[in-house]
Amino acid sequence: GILLTLLSAISIGFSAEFMALANKAGIPSFQLLFFMRLTEFLTILPLVAFSRPRLTGENIHQNMMISVQAIASNVTAVLNFLAFTYTVPGIAFGIIQGA
């Protein structure tokens, strides 16, 4: 647990730096964000296919919490797109991830 948390924090820090460098190289913000999300999706897809998690809750309360989390996650994604549009991507990513 602690080792994975440490590796995650280090990876987020490097990601913010690489995004700032890519932005300085002239890559548009939306392309950076698209490839970041695509990489996340392609990384998690085999894990989901292998573990086959349950996608529904055991009762109505759990289903409501899953729905609220999905809505909040989508709102966050929209706000991330806006942050990347109006700020430098490396700085925005660092602030968003808390690095």
Side-chain angles (χ1 to χ4, degrees):
I2 293 176
L3 180 62
L4 291 176
T5 303
L6 182 61
L7 289 174
S8 174
I10 291 170
S11 298
I12 288 170
F14 279 122
S15 179
E17 291 299 320
F18 286 130
M19 289 186 75
L21 290 173
N23 187 36
K24 286 181 184 177
I27 300 174
S29 300
F30 279 117
Q31 282 184 349
L32 288 173
L33 193 59
F34 171 76
F35 285 119
M36 182 179 74
R37 297 294 179 198
L38 180 65
T39 303
E40 290 173 359
F41 176 72
L42 293 176
T43 302
I44 198 76
L45 191 63
L47 296 173
V48 170
F50 178 72
S51 64
R52 296 184 185 256
R54 185 175 175 181
L55 299 177
T56 59
E58 295 177 0
N59 55 37
I60 187 101
H61 182 265
Q62 288 181 353
N63 287 334
M64 290 298 292
M65 292 303 293
I66 290 170
S67 299
V68 168
Q69 183 192 14
I71 292 168
S73 178
N74 286 318
V75 168
T76 301
V78 168
L79 294 175
N80 283 344
F81 277 115
L82 292 174
F84 278 80
T85 300
Y86 294 110
T87 61
V88 177
I91 294 171
F93 185 77
I95 292 170
I96 290 166
Q97 297 298 326

